[in-house]
Amino acid sequence: MIYDNLKKNKNNIVEVKNKVIIYFVNGPYVEVQGNISSDYTVEFIDNKSGKIYYSTTIKNNCWCKCNIEYFVEWNIKIYENGKLWYEYLYDAKDKRVYIAIDSKALGDSLAWFAYVDEFRKKHNCKVITSTFMNHMFIDQYPEISFVEPGTNVEGLYAMYKIGLFYNDDSRINLYKNPIDPKAQTMQKMCSDILGLDFVEVKPKIKKRNLQIDPTLKQVCIGVFGTAQSKFWNNPTGWQTVVDWLNNKGYTVKLLSKEGDDYMGNKLPKGVVQHPHGPLELVMDEMLKSKAFIGIGSGLSWLSWSLNVPTVLISGFSYDWAEMKDCVRIAAPKGKCEGCFNRIRLDPSDWNWCPDHKGTERQFECTKSITSESVIKELEKFL
C-alpha cells in the first residue's frame, strides 16, 4: 500500500513529499520513496500493548522490516528530525490477505482451517488461502479464494503462514509462533498466529449425500499413526476392545490404510478392513458409525469434524493437546506422558521415545492405558 505524506506550503498549495509504502507480508514492511533527502526513524509498535518491537533509522529510498511474522495490530510511526512525520494503524478491511496452511497433515489442516475464516470475519478482509487439502473446504467457504500451495499471489496487504516452526537449533521460532505452540492445544497454535481469541471451532468440510440406516451397529477404528509413540502400545488393548464390540453385535470397521504387521504392528482380529480409496469414502464410514476410536492422528480430527462421537487414546501428548469435544483417554497418573508437548519430535526415528527409549519404560504412556478404561467410556453411549 502506498501512502502520500502531504503538506501545504505558504501559498496554501498542497505539495507531495516522499511517499511511504507499507504492507504486512510475512512481517511489516516500510519503505520511504522520494527525492527529498532526509533521515526517518521508524517504530514498529504493538498497538494493544504499546511495545516497540523494532526501531531503526533509514534514509529516503530505503526500506526496513520487522521480523515478527505472526499477526500483530501494528501501529507504525515514522519520525523526521525528531518529529512525528507519519503514522499508520493496521487495517485489513477490504484488503487482500493470504493465509497459507504450511502442513500436509490431515489433522493439522482440519484443526486449523476454521480460523482462516474467523480471521476473515473479524477483519472483513478478502482472504486467499492455500492448503494441501483444498478439496475438503472449497465448497463450504465461498467467501474465501483458494489457491494451490506455492502459488504466487500478488497485490497482498498481508500474509501469514500457519505451522509449527523451529529454528535450526530445534528451538521454537518465536518470530513465527508468538508463544511455544507445543504448550497450547493444536487449534490455539493457529489462533495465536492469527491474533484471534481461542474458542474451539470445527471446520466446515465437504458435505456427503448419504442415506444412513439408524439400526446399523458399526464402530470405526484407526490404529496407525506416523510414529510408534502415537500408537496404543498396550499389546492386548485393541483386541480386547474389538472383542467387546463384536460381542455386543457391532461391526468394527478399520479405516487405517496400513496393512497387518506394518512397522511390526499387528491388526486386531474381528475387524473389517476398509478398502483403499478416496477420503470421502472414509468419511461415509465414519458418518454411518456410532463412534470412532482412534489415536492422535488425522482420522480422529476427521471424525471430530464430522461430529461423530470420537474416542481419542493418547499418551504421547497431554490430555489437553487435541480437541475438547471428544472422549480423551490419557496415560494413568504417575506414568510418563506428554513428550510431544515437551520435546521436538524426530520424524526420522520411528521408535522415538525421548524419555525412555531402549528401557523397559519405552512407550510407557500408552502401554499403561488399559482396554478396560476405554470400554468404560464406550459403555456410556454404546
Side-chain angles (χ1 to χ4, degrees), residues 157-177:
Y157 178 74
M159 177 178 175
Y160 306 99
K161 292 180 180 179
I162 310 302
L164 197 166
F165 301 104
Y166 289 95
N167 296 317
D168 292 339
D169 60 3
S170 291
R171 291 186 298 174
I172 295 296
N173 186 331
L174 293 178
Y175 297 124
K176 297 184 177 183
N177 294 104

Side-chain angles (χ1 to χ4, degrees), residues 212 216-220 251 253 255 284-292 308-309:
I212 300 176
L216 178 64
K217 296 185 69 173
Q218 176 173 296
V219 170
C220 288
T251 297
K253 229 17 170 350
L255 300 182
D284 289 349
E285 293 304 319
M286 287 181 169
L287 289 167
K288 291 188 292 186
S289 299
K290 304 301 183 185
F292 172 80
V308 174

Side-chain angles (χ1 to χ4, degrees), residues 35-54:
N35 295 324
I36 300 175
S37 180
S38 190
D39 290 335
Y40 298 95
T41 298
V42 183
E43 293 181 344
F44 297 87
I45 305 166
D46 182 339
N47 189 55
K48 288 188 176 181
S49 68
K51 177 181 177 180
I52 300 175
Y53 275 93
Y54 181 55

Side-chain angles (χ1 to χ4, degrees), residues 237-249:
W238 280 115
Q239 190 61 64
T240 302
V241 170
V242 169
D243 290 345
W244 180 82
L245 288 167
N246 287 163
N247 289 335
K248 289 181 67 68

Side-chain angles (χ1 to χ4, degrees), residues 69-238:
E69 297 187 16
Y70 53 83
F71 174 85
V72 173
E73 186 182 291
W74 292 108
N75 181 10
I76 295 174
K77 293 184 178 181
I78 305 175
Y79 296 86
E80 182 184 35
N81 300 322
K83 294 182 179 180
L84 183 63
W85 176 75
Y86 192 87
E87 183 173 7
Y88 181 77
L89 183 63
Y90 181 101
D91 181 8
K93 183 179 180 181
D94 296 328
K95 300 181 180 72
R96 289 163 56 82
V97 178
Y98 181 21
I99 302 175
I101 293 184
D102 194 35
S103 173
K104 295 181 179 180
L106 173 64
D108 292 349
S109 299
L110 293 170
W112 296 338
F113 191 83
Y115 297 98
V116 174
D117 196 46
E118 293 301 307
F119 186 93
R120 179 193 65 82
K121 290 186 287 188
K122 178 178 179 178
H123 294 279
N124 196 19
C125 56
K126 300 174 182 177
V127 168
I128 304 98
T129 191
S130 63
T131 80
F132 288 89
M133 299 192 174
N134 286 352
H135 69 285
M136 293 291 288
F137 310 108
I138 191 168
D139 293 337
Q140 302 304 311
Y141 293 92
E143 303 90 350
I144 295 176
S145 299
F146 287 79
V147 298
E148 291 301 312
T151 300
N152 182 36
V153 182
E154 299 181 345
L156 294 177
Y157 178 74
M159 177 178 175
Y160 306 99
K161 292 180 180 179
I162 310 302
L164 197 166
F165 301 104
Y166 289 95
N167 296 317
D168 292 339
D169 60 3
S170 291
R171 291 186 298 174
I172 295 296
N173 186 331
L174 293 178
Y175 297 124
K176 297 184 177 183
N177 294 104
I179 53 179
D180 185 351
K182 285 187 165 295
Q184 317 302 314
T185 69
M186 277 285 292
Q187 288 205 305
K188 191 172 183 295
M189 184 189 309
C190 178
S191 63
D192 284 345
I193 292 173
L194 294 178
L196 300 170
D197 294 334
F198 174 66
V199 178
E200 183 166 288
V201 183
K202 292 185 180 182
K204 296 181 289 185
I205 59 177
K206 180 179 289 189
K207 298 291 186 182
R208 304 297 297 154
N209 184 17
L210 190 65
Q211 296 294 322
I212 300 176
D213 180 359
T215 66
L216 178 64
K217 296 185 69 173
Q218 176 173 296
V219 170
C220 288
I221 63 172
V223 303
F224 289 108
T226 53
Q228 193 66 44
S229 55
K230 295 185 177 183
F231 284 58
W232 185 12
N233 287 296
N234 181 329
T236 62
W238 280 115

